Amino acid sequence: MKRVLVLCTGNSCRSQMAEGFFRHLGEGEWEAHSAGSKPSGYVHPLAISAMSEAGVDISGGRSKSVDEFAEDRFDLVVTVCDHANESCPFFPDAIDRQHWPFDDPADATGPDAEKLVEFRRVRDEIRGKIAGYLAAIDP
């Protein structure tokens, strides 16, 4: 089984959604984890809602520090925000390291219904990127 670690700053939105999609789209071939350089301590409720609409349950996730994975080996390390890309610790055993920047949906303003539109947009971008990556490595 291949292992992926998805990193962002707070580990509350983008990295949580990407972890969920790697599990879902990886069809049992990927062990997915996510973490943050400065974990927020929670998974954003609108990220949970947006992913639920896509048939992926991330409600059991928790915001974790990248330090929890410092000694682990990963086939792929992905950063999903520029801050995490700049501060990402070195994972010497990682076969591949990718930077896939996505807008932070937590920056959306307005009522929750309007914010959810942004969460859906970012969710769909993340799903597309991961689906494309998985298709390219296993045509």
Side-chain angles (χ1 to χ4, degrees):
M1 182 174 290
K2 296 175 186 168
R3 300 184 79 223
V4 59
L5 176 63
V6 184
L7 301 171
C8 70
T9 305
N11 190 223
S12 66
C13 301
R14 295 166 287 185
S15 54
Q16 291 285 341
M17 291 190 282
E19 176 185 353
F21 277 130
F22 263 107
R23 286 193 177 134
H24 183 73
L25 300 172
E27 299 177 343
E29 295 182 16
W30 286 84
E31 178 185 323
H33 301 276
S34 66
S37 55
K38 295 179 183 175
S40 65
Y42 71 101
V43 179
H44 199 291
L46 293 177
I48 293 169
S49 294
M51 290 298 287
S52 178
E53 292 175 357
V56 180
D57 182 8
I58 63 168
S59 64
R62 69 178 177 86
S63 179
K64 302 165 289 296
S65 171
V66 68
D67 296 339
E68 290 186 34
F69 300 99
E71 303 298 319
D72 291 4
R73 182 194 172 285
F74 292 96
D75 297 284
L76 174 62
V77 175
V78 177
T79 53
V80 293
C81 74
D82 290 333
H83 180 267
N85 187 44
E86 294 164 8
S87 64
C88 180
F90 181 62
F91 287 88
D93 294 331
I95 295 169
D96 192 10
R97 184 173 179 306
Q98 300 272 327
H99 177 54
W100 302 339
F102 299 101
D103 294 334
D104 188 352
D107 290 341
T109 59
D112 280 355
E114 290 177 17
K115 292 178 189 176
L116 188 56
V117 170
E118 183 68 3
F119 275 83
R120 289 175 181 141
R121 182 187 67 77
V122 173
R123 173 203 66 200
D124 293 346
E125 288 178 6
I126 292 170
R127 176 178 34 211
K129 186 69 174 179
I130 291 171
Y133 177 83
L134 295 174
I137 63 167
D138 191 26

